[in-house]
Amino acid sequence: MAIIVFSVVPVFLIAVVVIVLVVAGIKVESAEGGKDVIKNVYVYLVLFATLMMVIGGSVASFMAIADIIAPAPYYQSFEDYKRWGAEKPYPESSIGQENLEQQLSEEELRIRYDKMV
């Protein structure tokens, strides 16, 4: 829901600004040659969009370089490993095994966790 709001609202605001500027250009057209005003509005909108893309790309590049130089550490606790990291047998990968519901003991999980770390 939030993604839709954050992606639709800017587009809607830009559309409203373009409509207002075009209407202003049409009103001025009768007095001072509106084609020049509309052309200027178009040029400024393109320049603004280009500026926003350059700023966004620069920020994204800087963040990517910062993540490569100093990545955020991730530590998985034993409790998380026990909950999510325990290997569960799947029927398609364990054809020929008699016991699909084999559970690992606490010590076996600890040994595997220590090997992973």
Side-chain angles (χ1 to χ4, degrees):
M1 177 68 178
I3 294 173
I4 295 171
V5 171
F6 287 121
S7 62
V8 171
V9 170
V11 172
F12 178 73
L13 289 176
I14 290 172
V16 168
V17 168
V18 168
I19 291 171
V20 167
L21 291 174
V22 167
V23 169
I26 291 172
K27 285 184 180 180
V28 173
E29 179 178 314
S30 61
E32 327 176 337
K35 289 184 180 179
D36 292 335
V37 173
I38 293 174
K39 180 181 175 184
N40 286 339
V41 167
Y42 175 75
V43 169
Y44 287 136
L45 285 175
V46 169
L47 289 173
F48 178 74
T50 305
L51 177 66
M52 291 297 108
M53 290 190 310
V54 167
I55 290 172
S58 300
V59 168
S61 298
F62 178 76
M63 290 176 63
I65 292 170
D67 286 341
I68 290 172
I69 293 173
Y74 174 73
Y75 301 104
Q76 184 179 25
S77 67
F78 177 68
E79 289 77 23
D80 288 339
Y81 179 78
K82 188 166 53 171
R83 184 181 311 139
W84 303 109
E87 297 169 3
K88 298 177 184 171
Y90 294 100
E92 61 269 2
S93 66
S94 59
I95 296 174
Q97 291 183 1
E98 297 174 5
N99 188 6
L100 295 177
E101 298 297 324
Q102 179 185 8
Q103 296 293 326
L104 297 173
S105 68
E106 187 86 17
E107 292 120 12
E108 290 173 338
L109 281 175
R110 177 61 78 171
I111 291 169
R112 288 186 178 187
Y113 173 74
D114 290 338
K115 286 181 183 178
M116 181 194 70
V117 171

